Amino acid sequence: MGHFSRHTARRPVLGFVAALLLSAAPATWGQTAWPNKPVKIVVPFAPGGTTDILARAIAPDLSKAFGQQFVVENKGGAGGNLGAEQVAKSAGDGYTLLMGTVGTHGINRALYAKLPYDPIKDFAPITLVAGVPNVMVVNTEKAAANKINNVNDFIKYAKANPGKLNMASSGNGTSIHLAGELFKTKTGIFMAHIPYRGSGPALLDLAGGSMDVMFDNLPSAMQLIKAGKLKALAVTSSQRSAALPELPTVEEAAGLKGFEASSWFGLLAPAGTPADVVSRIQQEVAKSLATPAMKERLATLGAIPSGNTPAQFVTLIDSEHKKWAEVVKASGAKVD
């Protein structure tokens, strides 16, 4: 009798659990259909730059959250346009994402005569990952040999040696390139612009002495600054960076009114990616960026984490288009 009653008592409970599972099934299965295979994050620059550093910082947390590998793939070239075009032309199924930048989604439309993608229509913005100041860096040994201790020393040297300075960048149209163009416009100096396929290779040549100056994103330059291979002269943001508080802004250092050229990096999906997939990725990126470990990691690099909503990111991209179109026009920079 006792044996029988134990089973019968359990039956209604089992029935209730089964009914619950069945009622929840369609919604749950619908949501968990994605991702059922690895997700690719395309970095449109060579390894070693800030775009690459940030993509590789968030990928492990996304892999953990979704139970599928988020794999970073570098596709550098044409100021980020090759990688951006690849993602723009990918299926909107949530399996190909782009770590976009102020270059790919703020500057390039104004700079390039022909852009192989539409930064607005071809993408579904997910979230801003981080904003970073750029930093004006020179080769330490060359700076010592030419008595360059600050921005004004640099300007004086450049004016006394026209045509002798090579300015490295991570590619045409990047904020690194445009910060340099803005500097040239505001100071009236000439420097030959040498574009690379990313910050990594450009920094190596700057540290090696074949380049003279670069307005690099702070996170990718930080290690070489701390190692003494590069000398930082100023940050290009409107305010000093908490990561290098002793460093003046370009505006402070040289009295260049209104000088401001910062960078940002954010995740985007191809247009047509389901809104719930976009929303789920945004939520997990925001969670990752809010962890003490990630906050600390980004702070030491000089990056300011965001994790904002897709709608907020859309607004930022729109305002950045307008701002950089004016900078491009003022600098006269053009790429065919």
Side-chain angles (χ1 to χ4, degrees), residues 51-320:
T51 323
D52 185 63
I53 291 168
L54 290 172
R56 291 180 194 279
I58 62 166
D61 283 353
L62 290 174
S63 300
K64 218 176 289 172
F66 291 111
Q68 287 288 351
Q69 282 302 305
F70 277 66
V71 185
V72 175
E73 183 184 282
N74 297 86
K75 190 179 175 69
N81 290 345
L82 293 185
E85 180 188 11
Q86 180 190 320
V87 177
K89 292 177 177 169
S90 297
D93 55 10
Y95 291 101
T96 308
L97 308 176
L98 176 74
M99 183 58 93
T101 68
V102 62
T104 61
H105 282 76
I107 297 170
N108 288 1
R109 193 156 73 166
L111 190 75
Y112 284 80
K114 287 194 183 94
L115 206 59
Y117 62 93
D118 186 315
I120 305 291
K121 290 181 187 155
D122 292 344
F123 292 89
I126 298 171
T127 186
L128 175 69
V129 174
V132 307
N134 289 8
V135 60
M136 182 181 180
V137 280
V138 292
N139 177 284
T140 305
E141 286 176 17
K142 280 188 172 183
N146 297 310
K147 300 185 172 56
I148 296 170
N149 295 306
N150 53 46
V151 179
N152 283 327
D153 289 346
F154 180 89
I155 295 167
K156 229 177 281 173
Y157 179 83
K159 284 185 171 169
N161 296 275
K164 280 192 185 172
L165 293 173
N166 287 326
M167 177 183 88
S169 85
S170 57
N172 282 315
T174 57
S175 73
I176 295 164
H177 168 205
L178 264 282
E181 293 296 341
L182 192 61
F183 187 79
K184 283 156 71 171
T185 306
K186 289 201 176 263
T187 57
I189 62 174
F190 174 77
M191 301 181 280
H193 172 227
I194 315 291
Y196 285 75
R197 290 175 82 88
S199 278
L203 285 165
L204 287 177
D205 278 2
L206 182 62
S210 58
M211 290 289 121
D212 300 294
V213 63
M214 189 170 170
F215 292 78
D216 193 37
N217 304 142
L218 187 53
S220 38
M222 189 67 99
Q223 221 175 339
L224 290 165
I225 294 168
K226 289 194 165 156
K229 304 259 189 208
L230 297 181
K231 181 176 176 65
L233 300 182
V235 286
T236 65
S237 43
S238 55
Q239 293 175 321
R240 291 191 180 206
S241 165
L244 292 171
E246 71 288 353
L247 211 58
T249 66
V250 169
E251 183 174 3
E252 275 180 279
L256 301 179
K257 269 268 164 275
F259 190 101
E260 202 274 330
S262 300
S263 297
W264 52 259
F265 306 84
L267 272 185
L268 302 104
T273 301
D276 69 317
V277 170
V278 167
S279 167
R280 287 170 65 198
I281 298 170
Q282 183 269 326
Q283 286 164 18
E284 291 304 334
V285 171
K287 264 186 222 170
S288 168
L289 293 173
T291 60
M294 187 68 86
K295 275 184 177 169
E296 192 183 328
R297 183 176 176 186
L298 295 186
T300 58
L301 291 170
I304 301 146
S306 174
N308 65 4
T309 66
Q312 288 167 329
F313 192 22
V314 167
T315 305
L316 172 78
I317 291 170
D318 190 48
S319 67
E320 286 287 283

